[in-house]
Amino acid sequence: MRPDQLLARIATLDLLEMRFPENRCWGRNDALDPALSRAVDDLRARLEHANRTVYDSIRDEIRRGDQPQSLFHWVRLALEQENSGAQGYSLLDEIISGVLQFEEPQGEPPPISLEMVAYQPTPARHIFAMIQQLEFTPQDVLMDLGSGLGHVPLLVSICTNARSVGVERDPGYVKLARQCAQQLNLSRATFLQQDVSDADFSTATVFYLYTPFTGSILRHVLDRLRQEARGRSIRVCSYGPCTATIARESWLIPPRGAHSPEFQADQDRILIAEALPRCS
Ligand SMILES: C[S@@+](CC[C@H](N)C(=O)[O-])C[C@H]1O[C@@H](n2cnc3c(N)ncnc32)[C@H](O)[C@@H]1O
């Protein structure tokens, strides 16, 4: 199978999953013909093996510390295939999950309070758009507040020269994020198992929040970020429902060059804001 047909293979695997779900318990009347079942399993295995070959070669490129040109190539192609109004997860998330290869989290997650939000990753197309807009320098440190499996810090580390830190309260996710960073030699990405309320913000220059919490916890964290902005310049990026609150913060403004109408809480886009210089 040809490496250049990755996207077609992912689409075919999706179709197979829709038509012949792997974990479906077939009833007596709709059980698959054994020959068809074997053919589907065989096709699925061959497609997955071919994709794995592509993902492993991208992983080798990342491990060597090179700019992962083959990953950028697939990201470009996947984004071209998406229509501009695409929402939710897509082909690109499939590719990123093939490259990062997380294991299944083990154990029960710690209980969450009413104001905390359970894990869900940011759709990959938004992460790439944010990375492009932020134009990171080697002096930047991105901190993902509530980092889950770590997609954002990991991709920042893969695609830029900046450092990144994930802060996450669930030890299961932190373990898997660290494992991924280690397997890919991403020494600029670190993960702290901590409540965001206890985290040290002093080294980060860019903060990212995909609605990890709401209400009084969000208020407390935004007040701490505002304190940070008194002494130095920081940027704050957010996605999901907490964006409406963040867009109303008077000490945050659109990034230089952006028009103010762009500084709106958009349901399906990451908001990027700069702190007003020496805001009080
Ligand atoms: C919506 S997910 C976002 C995950 C990740 N930032 C991403 O975009 O892929 C929110 C994450 O925040 C974590 N979280 C919620 N409250 C937290 C807190 N107080 N301290 C640290 N992590 C927290 C959750 O465990 C969950 O993994």
Side-chain angles (χ1 to χ4, degrees):
M1 289 203 197
R2 291 165 39 189
D4 63 342
Q5 289 175 333
L6 177 67
L7 302 189
R9 281 194 300 270
I10 295 174
T12 310
L13 279 164
D14 280 350
L15 280 176
L16 282 179
E17 187 54 26
M18 262 191 292
R19 181 67 186 80
F20 308 104
E22 250 182 313
N23 295 322
R24 173 163 171 193
C25 295
W26 299 96
R28 203 171 343 146
N29 295 329
D30 60 0
L32 271 191
D33 169 73
L36 176 59
S37 176
R38 273 196 304 279
V40 168
D41 287 349
D42 177 57
L43 177 58
R44 203 191 312 261
R46 287 195 301 132
L47 294 170
E48 281 171 352
H49 176 76
N51 288 358
R52 182 79 182 211
T53 308
V54 176
Y55 298 141
D56 285 348
S57 106
I58 296 174
R59 284 168 68 82
D60 284 343
E61 212 174 357
I62 296 171
R63 265 187 218 111
R64 287 195 300 271
D66 300 341
Q67 277 274 305
Q69 293 304 338
S70 49
L71 174 63
F72 297 157
H73 165 79
W74 290 115
V75 171
R76 257 193 315 275
L77 284 191
L79 288 174
E80 273 167 27
Q81 279 210 5
E82 286 183 13
N83 53 47
S84 55
Q87 293 202 334
Y89 300 104
S90 66
L91 212 59
L92 185 54
D93 295 279
E94 200 71 52
I95 295 174
I96 296 306
S97 113
V99 171
L100 298 181
Q101 297 180 11
F102 294 112
E103 286 174 17
E104 282 295 311
Q106 302 291 319
E108 283 294 305
I112 56 172
S113 77
L114 270 182
E115 290 187 331
M116 290 180 184
V117 177
Y119 177 59
Q120 224 184 331
T122 301
R125 90 178 85 82
H126 296 310
I127 305 178
F128 283 101
M130 175 172 76
I131 289 174
Q132 197 175 22
Q133 284 179 61
L134 285 170
E135 296 180 350
F136 286 101
T137 69
Q139 284 71 45
D140 275 314
V141 179
L142 169 126
M143 183 175 270
D144 184 358
L145 305 179
S147 50
L149 282 172
H151 289 75
V152 176
L154 291 165
L155 287 174
V156 165
S157 180
I158 289 170
C159 301
T160 79
N161 288 324
R163 283 181 293 138
S164 55
V165 184
V167 180
E168 169 59 52
R169 61 193 288 279
D170 185 328
Y173 290 137
V174 174
K175 183 175 168 207
L176 296 178
R178 283 180 182 153
Q179 197 171 297
C180 179
Q182 193 180 16
Q183 285 169 355
L184 293 175
N185 287 343
L186 299 173
S187 55
R188 291 192 306 272
T190 50
F191 293 91
L192 307 172
Q193 195 246 306
Q194 218 176 13
D195 194 291
V196 168
S197 304
D198 303 326
D200 175 6
F201 291 170
S202 67
T203 54
T205 59
V206 179
F207 296 86
Y208 177 66
L209 301 92
Y210 173 15
T211 315
F213 28 67
T214 57
S216 62
I217 312 181
L218 180 60
R219 185 68 267 149
H220 173 67
V221 168
L222 288 174
D223 289 344
R224 285 191 54 208
L225 289 175
R226 184 179 182 153
Q227 286 289 340
E228 286 296 323
R230 286 194 172 141
R232 62 204 182 87
S233 57
I234 63 167
R235 292 182 282 179
V236 177
C237 309
S238 91
Y239 181 61
C242 77
T243 300
T245 306
I246 294 178
R248 283 195 298 271
E249 294 292 291
S250 58
W251 55 281
L252 289 172
I253 54 168
R256 268 173 281 259
H259 299 298
S260 43
E262 283 183 30
F263 194 61
Q264 286 167 357
D266 188 322
Q267 282 270 320
D268 205 42
R269 198 170 61 159
I270 291 179
L271 173 112
I272 297 180
E274 277 175 14
L276 277 168
R278 298 184 184 284
C279 68
S280 54

